[in-house]
Short mmCIF file of all heavy atoms in Angstrom, two decimals:
data_model
loop_
_atom_site.label_atom_id
_atom_site.label_comp_id
_atom_site.label_asym_id
_atom_site.label_seq_id
_atom_site.Cartn_x
_atom_site.Cartn_y
_atom_site.Cartn_z
N ALA A 178 23.46 71.42 -48.07
CA ALA A 178 23.85 72.09 -46.89
C ALA A 178 25.18 71.60 -46.41
O ALA A 178 25.52 70.46 -46.48
CB ALA A 178 22.72 71.84 -45.66
N MET A 179 25.91 72.62 -45.89
CA MET A 179 27.33 72.30 -45.52
C MET A 179 27.72 73.12 -44.28
O MET A 179 27.45 74.32 -44.30
CB MET A 179 28.27 72.48 -46.66
CG MET A 179 29.74 72.20 -46.34
SD MET A 179 30.82 72.50 -47.77
CE MET A 179 30.89 74.22 -47.80
N ALA A 180 28.34 72.52 -43.27
CA ALA A 180 28.75 73.24 -42.13
C ALA A 180 30.05 72.69 -41.68
O ALA A 180 30.35 71.48 -41.78
CB ALA A 180 27.73 73.21 -41.01
N ASP A 181 31.01 73.59 -41.09
CA ASP A 181 32.25 73.14 -40.57
C ASP A 181 32.27 73.47 -39.12
O ASP A 181 31.68 74.33 -38.52
CB ASP A 181 33.37 74.01 -41.28
CG ASP A 181 33.49 73.62 -42.72
OD1 ASP A 181 32.97 72.62 -43.10
OD2 ASP A 181 34.21 74.39 -43.44
N ALA A 182 33.12 72.66 -38.43
CA ALA A 182 33.47 72.86 -37.04
C ALA A 182 34.95 72.73 -36.88
O ALA A 182 35.62 71.79 -37.42
CB ALA A 182 32.68 71.74 -36.21
N ALA A 183 35.47 73.65 -36.07
CA ALA A 183 36.95 73.56 -35.88
C ALA A 183 37.26 72.47 -34.79
O ALA A 183 36.58 72.56 -33.76
CB ALA A 183 37.52 74.97 -35.35
N VAL A 184 38.22 71.56 -35.00
CA VAL A 184 38.58 70.60 -34.10
C VAL A 184 40.08 70.56 -34.01
O VAL A 184 40.80 70.96 -34.98
CB VAL A 184 38.07 69.15 -34.55
CG1 VAL A 184 36.49 69.14 -34.49
CG2 VAL A 184 38.56 68.77 -35.92
N GLN A 185 40.55 69.96 -32.89
CA GLN A 185 41.95 69.89 -32.73
C GLN A 185 42.42 68.48 -32.95
O GLN A 185 42.41 67.55 -32.20
CB GLN A 185 42.35 70.25 -31.28
CG GLN A 185 42.02 71.71 -30.93
CD GLN A 185 42.51 72.14 -29.53
OE1 GLN A 185 42.84 71.25 -28.65
NE2 GLN A 185 42.41 73.41 -29.21
N ILE A 186 42.85 68.26 -34.22
CA ILE A 186 43.38 66.91 -34.69
C ILE A 186 44.71 66.95 -35.34
O ILE A 186 45.41 65.97 -35.53
CB ILE A 186 42.39 66.31 -35.50
CG1 ILE A 186 42.70 64.72 -35.61
CG2 ILE A 186 42.20 66.90 -36.84
CD1 ILE A 186 41.67 63.87 -36.39
N GLY A 187 45.16 68.19 -35.62
CA GLY A 187 46.42 68.33 -36.32
C GLY A 187 46.27 67.88 -37.76
O GLY A 187 45.30 67.83 -38.31
N GLU A 188 47.54 67.66 -38.40
CA GLU A 188 47.44 67.31 -39.75
C GLU A 188 47.21 65.83 -40.03
O GLU A 188 47.82 64.97 -39.49
CB GLU A 188 48.88 67.59 -40.35
CG GLU A 188 48.92 67.49 -41.84
CD GLU A 188 50.26 68.06 -42.41
OE1 GLU A 188 50.98 68.68 -41.73
OE2 GLU A 188 50.51 67.76 -43.62
N VAL A 189 46.09 65.55 -40.76
CA VAL A 189 45.71 64.23 -41.05
C VAL A 189 45.29 64.09 -42.48
O VAL A 189 45.02 65.07 -43.14
CB VAL A 189 44.53 63.77 -40.14
CG1 VAL A 189 44.83 63.72 -38.69
CG2 VAL A 189 43.25 64.62 -40.42
N ASN A 190 45.42 62.89 -43.03
CA ASN A 190 44.86 62.66 -44.40
C ASN A 190 43.43 62.69 -44.37
O ASN A 190 42.72 62.21 -43.37
CB ASN A 190 45.26 61.32 -44.89
CG ASN A 190 46.75 61.18 -45.19
OD1 ASN A 190 47.41 62.19 -45.50
ND2 ASN A 190 47.42 60.04 -44.82
N LYS A 191 42.73 63.24 -45.32
CA LYS A 191 41.36 63.50 -45.33
C LYS A 191 40.60 62.12 -45.24
O LYS A 191 40.91 61.22 -45.94
CB LYS A 191 40.80 64.18 -46.59
CG LYS A 191 39.42 64.69 -46.61
CD LYS A 191 39.08 65.42 -47.93
CE LYS A 191 39.70 66.74 -48.00
NZ LYS A 191 39.33 67.58 -49.14
N SER A 192 39.58 62.06 -44.31
CA SER A 192 38.82 60.85 -44.08
C SER A 192 37.38 61.17 -44.19
O SER A 192 36.94 62.22 -43.70
CB SER A 192 39.24 60.17 -42.78
OG SER A 192 38.54 58.96 -42.56
N SER A 193 36.58 60.31 -44.75
CA SER A 193 35.14 60.61 -44.85
C SER A 193 34.33 59.40 -44.66
O SER A 193 34.84 58.28 -44.82
CB SER A 193 34.92 61.27 -46.30
OG SER A 193 35.23 60.32 -47.31
N MET A 194 32.98 59.67 -44.44
CA MET A 194 32.08 58.60 -44.20
C MET A 194 30.59 59.11 -44.41
O MET A 194 30.29 60.25 -44.08
CB MET A 194 32.23 57.97 -42.81
CG MET A 194 31.40 56.79 -42.47
SD MET A 194 31.92 55.99 -40.92
CE MET A 194 33.52 55.50 -41.36
N ILE A 195 29.68 58.23 -45.02
CA ILE A 195 28.35 58.65 -45.14
C ILE A 195 27.59 57.87 -44.00
O ILE A 195 27.62 56.62 -44.00
CB ILE A 195 27.83 58.19 -46.55
CG1 ILE A 195 28.67 58.74 -47.71
CG2 ILE A 195 26.34 58.71 -46.63
CD1 ILE A 195 28.31 58.28 -49.02
N VAL A 196 26.89 58.59 -43.06
CA VAL A 196 26.21 58.04 -41.99
C VAL A 196 24.71 58.09 -42.38
O VAL A 196 24.17 59.03 -42.78
CB VAL A 196 26.39 58.85 -40.81
CG1 VAL A 196 25.64 58.19 -39.62
CG2 VAL A 196 27.91 58.90 -40.39
N PRO A 197 24.02 56.88 -42.31
CA PRO A 197 22.57 56.81 -42.66
C PRO A 197 21.76 57.81 -42.02
O PRO A 197 21.96 58.23 -40.79
CB PRO A 197 22.18 55.42 -42.28
CG PRO A 197 23.46 54.57 -42.22
CD PRO A 197 24.51 55.60 -41.80
N ALA A 198 20.64 58.26 -42.70
CA ALA A 198 19.80 59.31 -42.09
C ALA A 198 19.20 58.96 -40.76
O ALA A 198 19.13 59.78 -39.83
CB ALA A 198 18.75 59.69 -43.11
N LYS A 199 18.80 57.71 -40.66
CA LYS A 199 18.24 57.21 -39.34
C LYS A 199 19.18 57.36 -38.25
O LYS A 199 18.98 57.82 -36.97
CB LYS A 199 17.69 55.88 -39.47
CG LYS A 199 17.03 55.29 -38.16
CD LYS A 199 16.67 53.84 -38.27
CE LYS A 199 15.99 53.33 -36.97
NZ LYS A 199 17.01 53.37 -35.84
N ALA A 200 20.41 56.95 -38.46
CA ALA A 200 21.48 57.11 -37.46
C ALA A 200 21.70 58.47 -37.09
O ALA A 200 21.95 58.83 -35.91
CB ALA A 200 22.73 56.36 -38.00
N VAL A 201 21.71 59.39 -38.07
CA VAL A 201 21.93 60.79 -37.80
C VAL A 201 20.81 61.32 -36.90
O VAL A 201 21.13 62.06 -35.96
CB VAL A 201 22.03 61.60 -39.11
CG1 VAL A 201 22.04 63.13 -38.86
CG2 VAL A 201 23.19 61.25 -39.89
N ASN A 202 19.55 60.92 -37.18
CA ASN A 202 18.45 61.47 -36.33
C ASN A 202 18.57 60.85 -34.98
O ASN A 202 18.24 61.49 -33.99
CB ASN A 202 17.19 61.02 -37.07
CG ASN A 202 16.85 61.80 -38.35
OD1 ASN A 202 17.41 62.94 -38.53
ND2 ASN A 202 16.22 61.15 -39.27
N ASP A 203 18.93 59.54 -34.82
CA ASP A 203 19.03 58.98 -33.53
C ASP A 203 20.11 59.59 -32.65
O ASP A 203 20.00 59.94 -31.55
CB ASP A 203 19.38 57.44 -33.64
CG ASP A 203 18.15 56.67 -34.14
OD1 ASP A 203 17.00 57.20 -34.03
OD2 ASP A 203 18.33 55.58 -34.67
#
Side-chain angles (χ1 to χ4, degrees):
M179 181 180 77
D181 289 346
V184 294
Q185 294 182 350
I186 192 174
E188 188 171 347
V189 296
N190 293 325
K191 188 179 293 185
S192 182
S193 62
M194 185 169 293
I195 308 172
V196 181
K199 179 184 180 298
V201 172
N202 294 332
D203 289 339

